Amino acid sequence: MKKQDKKQQKRITSIGGSALIEGIMMRGPKRTTVACRVDKDTIYTEDIEVKPLFKAKFWKLPLIRGLAGMIDSMRLSYKALGLSADKAMEAGLVEEEEPSKFEKWLEDKFGDKLMNVVMVIASILGIALAIGLFVVLPSMLFTWLIKPLLTDWSESSVRILQSAFEGVLKIALFLSYLSLVSLMNDMKRVFQYHGAEHKTIFCYENDEELTVENVRKQTRFHPRCGTSFLVVTLLVSIFVGLFIPTFPNLPILRPVLRLLLVPVMVGLGYEFIKLCGKYDNKLTRILATPGLWAQRITTREPADEMIECAIEAMTAVIPDDGSDIINDCSCAQ
């Protein structure tokens, strides 16, 4: 966080959001609102909600709540993304291609439920791709390319090097993917809306009136961000990897164990981000730094009409009773 932002910040809010297709979702303690730009002078807003899957007290425990929160947040984000896509197509902001025979068959088969089916299929394919790229590939590359050169190394030394190799490769793959995606024109606009979301939250946390001018001058890098969460979780995976055996005779077991330990990594990553979001001091700024660096890829400076969308969504979810405030600063420095 820039030095001037640290001095200005008056409070820390639990309100968060995400960038959509030509819009913003903001999630407060009492309501979640989607604001979408449908034309030059009109912003469409709609409240959305999903029923939490994890209501028992067990799912509120530290290290456990991270996984539960991530799943519910993904469900909410998918719903918001679907809504924004529909509004963008209705407004002609996104070109709707002629459906293929397969797409027509799906529409006839599933009707109004088609979007849910597509989301489920996309999620399954996305998870499979993520497991292949970030769990199996790094482990197998080390086993095939590096490990044969380490015949004189002890098992513990090999494990340390393998954990570092896998972690660095995963982070490199992740940042490379984000960099390639950021070259797409549509994603550039999504990343601009992402910047508008962060700037608007910072404006509110700095106790300034939510105007385009005030929002525009804020930083677009926020410690409590999904990008930061992913980067921190990848860094945590390096630490967790130090405790996973290498299994010389059956190397596939290491990625299997890594996969089983994903909830632990997610839980630790969530607690780090929660700590950085609740406090603003030297320690939390150090912890947040890698994620803030990555946000240089996933956020862009927004146009004024994007800021207007973010303000509309933000204003709708700010509760009158101040229940969103998790730290009323003077923040500890």
Side-chain angles (χ1 to χ4, degrees):
M1 196 185 301
K2 295 180 180 179
K3 193 170 182 180
Q4 60 265 36
D5 297 320
K6 178 183 71 173
K7 290 181 179 179
Q8 292 173 352
Q9 198 167 2
K10 303 293 193 305
R11 58 195 173 194
I12 297 176
T13 179
S14 63
I15 295 172
S18 63
L20 307 172
I21 300 172
E22 296 300 329
I24 297 279
M25 177 190 75
M26 288 289 187
R27 184 180 186 182
K30 297 185 178 180
R31 62 190 290 196
T32 299
T33 298
V34 171
C36 298
R37 173 70 63 181
V38 293
D39 61 44
K40 183 179 178 180
D41 301 313
T42 309
I43 298 173
Y44 173 85
T45 62
E46 182 177 325
D47 287 357
I48 62 171
E49 64 176 331
V50 295
K51 294 182 179 179
L53 292 177
F54 309 97
K55 297 180 180 180
K57 291 183 178 180
F58 169 78
W59 296 105
K60 306 298 182 183
L61 295 174
L63 298 181
I64 302 296
R65 58 190 176 185
L67 182 63
M70 184 185 74
I71 293 172
D72 282 338
S73 293
M74 287 177 62
R75 293 171 60 233
L76 191 63
S77 294
Y78 274 134
K79 186 171 184 177
L81 186 61
L83 173 61
S84 70
D86 289 342
K87 293 301 173 184
M89 285 190 289
E90 288 175 9
L93 300 176
V94 175
E95 293 185 8
E96 189 172 3
E97 298 179 355
E98 183 68 24
S100 64
K101 291 183 179 180
F102 178 66
E103 289 171 328
K104 289 179 179 178
W105 178 83
L106 285 176
E107 190 170 355
D108 292 338
K109 188 76 173 177
F110 298 102
D112 294 338
K113 296 180 179 179
L114 177 60
M115 182 56 71
N116 291 334
V117 173
V118 171
M119 287 294 188
V120 169
I121 294 173
S123 298
I124 293 172
L125 292 176
I127 291 171
L129 180 61
I131 291 172
L133 281 178
F134 296 104
V135 180
V136 178
L137 180 63
S139 182
M140 292 298 98
L141 284 179
F142 183 88
T143 300
W144 295 333
L145 302 178
I146 308 297
K147 196 170 182 180
L149 306 176
L150 309 177
T151 54
D152 296 331
W153 288 44
S154 66
E155 197 276 338
S156 59
S157 298
V158 171
R159 187 168 64 244
I160 292 172
L161 181 60
Q162 183 167 2
S163 182
F165 175 87
E166 292 171 349
V168 171
L169 181 58
K170 284 188 288 186
I171 292 172
L173 287 170
F174 176 65
L175 295 180
S176 297
Y177 168 77
L178 291 179
S179 298
L180 288 173
V181 166
S182 70
L183 299 176
M184 301 168 58
N185 288 331
D186 289 342
M187 288 306 301
K188 286 180 182 178
R189 290 190 63 81
V190 172
F191 289 168
Q192 284 181 283
Y193 274 105
H194 193 190
E197 174 218 330
H198 286 186
K199 282 173 169 281
T200 303
I201 292 174
F202 260 131
C203 186
Y204 172 66
E205 290 183 322
N206 291 337
D207 201 18
E208 297 185 33
E209 183 183 359
L210 291 177
T211 65
V212 171
E213 182 179 359
N214 286 342
V215 170
R216 193 190 301 124
K217 67 184 181 182
Q218 308 295 326
T219 178
R220 71 180 197 267
F221 309 120
H222 201 288
R224 196 179 68 254
C225 169
T227 304
S228 295
F229 168 71
L230 291 173
V231 171
V232 167
T233 301
L234 290 174
L235 291 173
V236 167
S237 74
I238 298 176
F239 173 76
V240 172
L242 297 175
F243 301 94
I244 302 176
T246 55
F247 300 104
N249 297 323
L250 196 57
I252 192 63
L253 279 181
R254 182 174 168 88
V256 169
L257 284 178
R258 270 195 173 278
L259 189 59
L260 293 175
L261 288 171
V262 164
V264 175
M265 301 174 197
V266 169
L268 288 170
Y270 176 84
E271 297 304 326
F272 274 117
I273 292 299
K274 192 174 181 67
L275 183 68
C276 293
K278 187 174 182 180
Y279 301 104
D280 178 26
N281 52 50
K282 291 181 179 179
L283 175 61
T284 59
R285 284 195 288 275
I286 291 172
L287 293 174
T289 296
L292 297 179
W293 287 341
Q295 287 177 41
R296 294 185 179 278
I297 303 174
T298 62
T299 64
R300 300 287 179 91
E301 289 297 329
D304 287 353
E305 62 265 24
M306 298 173 178
I307 293 176
E308 290 171 354
C309 255
I311 291 174
E312 193 82 16
M314 183 76 182
T315 303
V317 303
I318 298 174
D320 295 331
D321 59 3
S323 57
D324 64 299
I325 305 302
I326 55 179
N327 194 339
D328 198 352
C329 308
S330 318
C331 293
Q333 305 299 330

